[in-house]
C-alpha cells in the first residue's frame, strides 16, 4: 500500500513544518515521528493535547504512522467538555508537548512527550527506526476522531478513516493544483479538520511545507506571504479582519497580491469582504465547503472562475445532490431552487463514536444529510443559502450547539431559565447570545460571570458574547421556547 506521507518515506531534505523558530524537514520529521510512532504502536487510541505547536503535528503524524487512531483535544476545553471527550473516546495514551500541564482528566493516562525540549531540535532526536511499526494500515481503519457539536447534547466524535483523509487531500491537490512547491501559512487551531487535516496533513502529504503562526495576526500572514509562503488558509473572521485592514496597508495588499492561493472556509465569507480584498489586492479569495463528517465537498478550482458568494463545484470523487423538503432530488440548476445538500463519496466519515443512533439518523439511502441549504447556478457552482437547524451557530468558524450552552448556563446557580441564539456579527459571522431568566431578579449574574462559567465548562469559543435578561422566556402552548420571538 502506498504511504500516507510519501515525502516522509523518501526522507526528503526539504522543509516540512515550521512553528516559530522550531522547524523540521521531512527527513527530520520522519525520524522524530518514526521514533514516537514506535512507542505509540499497539495503543488502542491516543489523545493528542492539540496546542498550536510543532509537538501536535509530530504527535499526529506519529500516530498515523503507527496506525493508532488520534483524538485531538482542544487544550482550552472546559472541565465538562474534556470529561466527555475523554470518557467517550477512552484513549489509553496521551501525547503532549514537554512543557504542557495536563488537567486531571488526562493526567491519569500514560503520557508521552511529543519531542524533546526545543533546544534539542533536531540534533538530539533519536534516529528514526520504523522497526516495530506495523505496515501501512488499511484505508478503512480509523485515523482521527474529531469532536463536533450538534444542536443538543455533548459533542459527537466523528470517526474519520484514512481513506477519507487521502481522498480529500488528493481531491484538493487536483482542485487547487497543490504541489510540493507550495508553502502554506495558517493560524488555525489544530483540533479541527480545517487546521489539522487541511493545514498540517495537507502540506505534508504533498511534500510541501507549512508555517504555523501560533496565533492569528495580520502582520504574521503578510510577513510569511512576503517571504516565500504561497498559500493562506483562514476562516471568514480572519479574512474579515484582513478586509478591514488591507485598504490602508500597502504591505499587506502586496503580500496578498503575491500569493498563489487564498482559501477561505468553515463558514460563509461575506461578498463585501470578498470585494474589499479583491479591490485592494487584485486577488480573489476562493471558498471551499466542508464539514467535519464529510471533509471537503466542493471548492472553487484554481483553474476555474472565482465567484464571490459561491463554494464552487463538487470535488473529484464527491457525489452531491440537493433534495427538497419531501426528500426528492432537485434536478434544477437554476440559481434559485433551494434544497438540502446531501453527499456521498470516499471523503465521508464512517460513524459517530458510540452513537449508532446518531449515525443512522445522519444518512438517508447512503447519502449524508449535511443540514446545509444551497442553490445551484446553471454551471454547477453551489451557493450556500442557510442551514436547516437554527440551533447550530457558526461563530468565528467554530460550530457550536445552542443546547450544549443552555445546559451549561442552567448549571449556574444564578440562572433559572436560559435560551441561546446566534445573532449576525460582522467579525464572527454569528455571535452567541444568552437569554437569561435570573434566579434572583434583584441580583442577576453578570455577563462576564456567565461567559467565564461557559468557558470553564465547555470552551472559550462557546462563551456568550452578549447576555440579555428577561422576566420570562417566550413559550408556546406546549411550553416550548419560541426562539424567533426572542429577537423581537
Ligand atoms: C476570552 N478568552 C477566554 C475568555 N474570554 N478564555 C477563558 N475564559 C474567558 N471568559 C480567551 C480566548 O480563548 C482567546 O485566547 C482570547 O481570550 C481571545 O478570544 P476570542 O475573543 O474568542 O478570540 P476571537 O477573536 O473570537 O477569535 C477569532 C478567531 C477564532 C481567531 C478567528 O475564532 C478561530 O481561531 N477560529 C477558527 C475556528 C476553526 O478552526 N474552525 C474550523 C472548524 P487566545 O488568544 O490565547 O487563543 S470547521 C471545520 O473544520 C470544517 C471541516 C471546515 O469546513 O473547515
Ligand atoms: P463543522 O461541523 O465545524 O465541521 O462545520 C461544518 C459547517 O460549516 C458546514 O456544515 C457549513 O454549514 C459550514 N461551512 C463550511 N465551509 C463553508 C463555506 N465555505 N461557506 C458556508 N458555510 C461553510
Amino acid at each position: 500500500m502506498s504511504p500516507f506521507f510519501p515525502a516522509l518515506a523518501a526522507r526528503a531534505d526539504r522543509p516540512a513544518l515550521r512553528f516559530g523558530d522550531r522547524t523540521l524537514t521531512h527527513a527530520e520529521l520522519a525520524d522524530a515521528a518514526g521514533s514516537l510512532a514506535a512507542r505509540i504502536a499497539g495503543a488502542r487510541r491516543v489523545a493528542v493535547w492539540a496546542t498550536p505547536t510543532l509537538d501536535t503535528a509530530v504527535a499526529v503524524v506519529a500516530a498515523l504512522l503507527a496506525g493508532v487512531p488520534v483524538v485531538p483535544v482542544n487544550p482550552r476545553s472546559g472541565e465538562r467538555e474534556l470529561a466527555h471527550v475523554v470518557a467517550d473516546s477512552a484513549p489509553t495514551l496521551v501525547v503532549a508537548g514537554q512543557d504542557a500541564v495536563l488537567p486531571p482528566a488526562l493526567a491519569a493516562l500514560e503520557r508521552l512527550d511529543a519531542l524533546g525540549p526545543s533546544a534539542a531540535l533536531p540534533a538530539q532526536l533519536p534516529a528514526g527506526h520504523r522497526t516495530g511499526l506495523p505496515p501501512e494500515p488499511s484505508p478503512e481503519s480509523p485515523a482521527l476522531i474529531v469532536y463536533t457539536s450538534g444542536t443538543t447534547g455533548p459533542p459527537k466524535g466523528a470517526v474519520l478513516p484514512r481513506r477519507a483523509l487521502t481522498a480529500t487531500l488528493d481531491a484538493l491537490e487536483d482542485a487547487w493544483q497543490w504541489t510540493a512547491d507550495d508553502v502554506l501559512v495558517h493560524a488555525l487551531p489544530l483540533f479541527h479538520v480545517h487546521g489539522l487535516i487541511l493545514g498540517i496533513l495537507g502540506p505534508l502529504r504533498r511534500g510541501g511545507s507549512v508555517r504555523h503562526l501560533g496565533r492569528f495576526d495580520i502582520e504574521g500572514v503578510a510577513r510569511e506571504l512576503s517571504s516565500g509562503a504561497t498559500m493562506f488558509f483562514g476562516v471568514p473572521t480572519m479574512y474579515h479582519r484582513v478586509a478591514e485592514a488591507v485598504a490602508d496597508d500597502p504591505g499587506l495588499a502586496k503580500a496578498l497580491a503575491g500569493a498563489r492561493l487564498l482559501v477561505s472556509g468553515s463558514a460563509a465569507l461575506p461578498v463585501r469582504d470578498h470585494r474589499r480584498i479583491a479591490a485592494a489586492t487584485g486577488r480573489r479569495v476562493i471558498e471551499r465547503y466542508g464539514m467535519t463528517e464529510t471533509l471537503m465537498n466542493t471548492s472553487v478550482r484554481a483553474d476555474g472562475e472565482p465567484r464571490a458568494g459561491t463554494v464552487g463545484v463538487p470535488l473529484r470523487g464527491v457525489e452531491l445532490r440537493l433534495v427538497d423538503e419531501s426528500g426528492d432530488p432537485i434536478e434544477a440548476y437554476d440559481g434559485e431552487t433551494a434544497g438540502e445538500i446531501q453527499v456521498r463519496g470516499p471523503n465521508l466519515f464512517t460513524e459517530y463514536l458510540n452513537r449508532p443512533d446518531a449515525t443512522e439518523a445522519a444518512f438517508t439511502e447512503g447519502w449524508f444529510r449535511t443540514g446545509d441549504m444551497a442553490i445551484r447556478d446553471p454551471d454547477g457552482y453551489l451557493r450556500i443559502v442557510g442551514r436547516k437547524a437554527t440551533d447550530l451557530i457558526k461563530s468565528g468558524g467554530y460550530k457550536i450547539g445552542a443546547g450544549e450552552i443552555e445546559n451549561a448556563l442552567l448549571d449556574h446557580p444564578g440562572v433559572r431559565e436560559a435560551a441561546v441564539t446566534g445573532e449576525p456579527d460582522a467579525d464572527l459571522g454569528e455571535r452567541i447570545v444568552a437569554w437569561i431568566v435570573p434566579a434572583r431578579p434583584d441580583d442577576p449574574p453578570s455577563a462576564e460571570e456567565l461567559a467565564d462559567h461557559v468557558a470553564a465548562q465547555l470552551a472559550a469559543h462557546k462563551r456568550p458574547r452578549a447576555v440579555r435578561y428577561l422576566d420570562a422566556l417566550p413559550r408556546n402552548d406546549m411550553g416550548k421556547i419560541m426562539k424567533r420571538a426572542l429577537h423581537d
Side-chain angles (χ1 to χ4, degrees):
M1 223 170 294
S2 54
F4 195 102
F5 300 111
L8 243 62
R11 304 186 52 79
D13 190 23
R14 290 194 308 275
L17 298 169
R18 194 175 93 190
F19 287 76
D21 57 4
R22 303 171 85 196
T23 64
L24 290 177
T25 63
H26 290 270
E28 289 165 347
L29 177 60
D31 290 342
S35 56
L36 180 59
R39 299 168 67 203
I40 293 176
R44 188 186 47 187
R45 246 173 234 151
V46 54
V48 171
W49 187 244
T51 52
T53 59
L54 185 63
D55 306 87
T56 299
V58 171
V60 172
V61 170
L64 282 167
L65 292 177
V68 175
V70 182
V71 185
V73 177
N74 175 359
R76 287 180 168 280
S77 295
E79 226 174 293
R80 177 202 285 236
E81 183 161 304
L82 183 69
H84 166 70
V85 168
V86 174
D88 189 55
S89 63
T92 50
L93 260 185
V94 56
V95 185
Q98 206 178 39
D99 303 331
V101 179
L102 298 183
L106 284 170
L109 299 176
E110 185 189 342
R111 171 175 177 165
L112 297 178
D113 291 334
L115 283 165
S118 46
L121 274 177
Q124 292 180 22
L125 289 175
H129 309 292
R130 285 208 43 129
T131 44
L133 287 187
E136 186 68 24
S138 92
E140 286 305 316
S141 63
L144 285 165
I145 299 165
V146 178
Y147 279 80
T148 182
S149 292
T151 50
T152 57
K156 302 187 286 286
V159 179
L160 299 166
R162 295 171 86 89
R163 54 108 177 116
L165 275 57
T166 52
T168 234
L169 293 176
D170 296 350
L172 293 177
E173 172 187 35
D174 167 60
W176 296 344
Q177 300 171 357
W178 192 350
T179 73
D181 292 331
D182 279 306
V183 178
L184 173 68
V185 54
H186 87 84
L188 294 155
L190 300 187
F191 47 87
H192 278 311
V193 165
H194 195 171
L196 182 60
I197 299 183
L198 271 58
I200 300 290
L201 303 182
L204 295 180
R205 183 160 169 88
R206 295 281 73 81
S209 69
V210 51
R211 302 177 188 170
H212 195 284
L213 297 177
R215 61 184 305 154
F216 175 72
D217 74 292
I218 289 176
E219 294 72 34
V221 174
R223 182 186 68 237
E224 298 308 332
L225 288 176
S226 308
S227 58
T230 62
M231 307 199 285
F232 172 62
F233 293 174
V235 292
T237 299
M238 295 173 180
Y239 282 103
H240 176 75
R241 293 177 188 178
V242 165
E244 294 276 282
V246 70
D248 302 318
D249 185 341
L252 174 62
K254 187 160 174 242
L256 293 169
R260 189 180 77 74
L261 215 58
L262 303 172
V263 186
S264 175
S266 303
L269 181 62
V271 171
R272 174 158 182 263
D273 289 332
H274 270 286
R275 292 213 178 107
R276 288 193 292 175
I277 294 172
T281 67
R283 290 305 311 269
R284 313 273 212 104
V285 176
I286 65 168
E287 284 192 75
R288 94 291 180 288
Y289 158 64
M291 199 170 172
T292 303
E293 292 88 334
T294 67
L295 304 186
M296 295 303 117
N297 295 310
T298 73
S299 183
V300 172
R301 295 180 57 91
D303 57 4
E305 183 210 333
R307 198 177 300 163
T310 81
V311 294
V313 294
L315 292 169
R316 188 180 67 196
V318 177
E319 287 180 83
L320 185 148
R321 67 179 192 180
L322 301 184
V323 300
D324 64 21
E325 274 177 12
S326 49
D328 294 327
I330 293 169
E331 305 301 339
Y333 286 71
D334 58 2
E336 60 183 63
T337 312
E340 182 191 10
I341 303 171
Q342 298 187 343
V343 289
R344 214 158 60 168
N347 51 313
L348 263 58
F349 75 139
T350 37
E351 59 170 342
Y352 293 115
L353 191 68
N354 306 323
R355 292 293 306 275
D357 56 325
T359 307
E360 202 197 322
F363 288 89
T364 172
E365 299 157 354
W367 294 86
F368 176 76
R369 315 166 193 258
T370 65
D372 292 309
M373 302 292 294
I375 58 182
R376 254 178 326 215
D377 285 353
D379 57 2
Y381 273 53
L382 209 68
R383 292 176 191 271
I384 296 178
V385 294
R387 202 184 298 125
K388 283 183 99 172
T390 47
D391 275 347
L392 281 179
I393 300 163
K394 265 272 162 168
S395 186
Y398 287 109
K399 184 193 266 181
I400 302 158
E404 207 188 340
I405 308 175
E406 287 158 2
N407 287 334
L409 288 168
L410 287 168
D411 266 357
H412 189 285
V415 174
R416 175 177 303 150
E417 290 184 82
V420 166
T421 59
E423 230 171 52
D425 184 277
D427 182 47
L428 296 169
E430 289 180 287
R431 69 175 158 264
I432 296 170
V433 180
W435 306 79
I436 298 293
V437 179
R440 290 176 46 200
D442 52 328
D443 184 23
S446 71
E448 196 189 348
E449 187 179 335
L450 293 174
D452 289 348
H453 171 76
V454 173
Q457 289 298 313
L458 303 179
H461 63 264
K462 296 182 179 175
R463 72 190 192 277
R465 309 278 174 147
V467 176
R468 308 220 171 102
Y469 300 91
L470 300 170
D471 297 332
L473 294 178
R475 292 181 185 270
N476 66 14
D477 295 342
M478 313 284 288
K480 192 170 176 282
I481 299 169
M482 296 189 297
K483 292 201 176 177
R484 283 179 211 285
L486 284 168
H487 291 278
D488 309 334

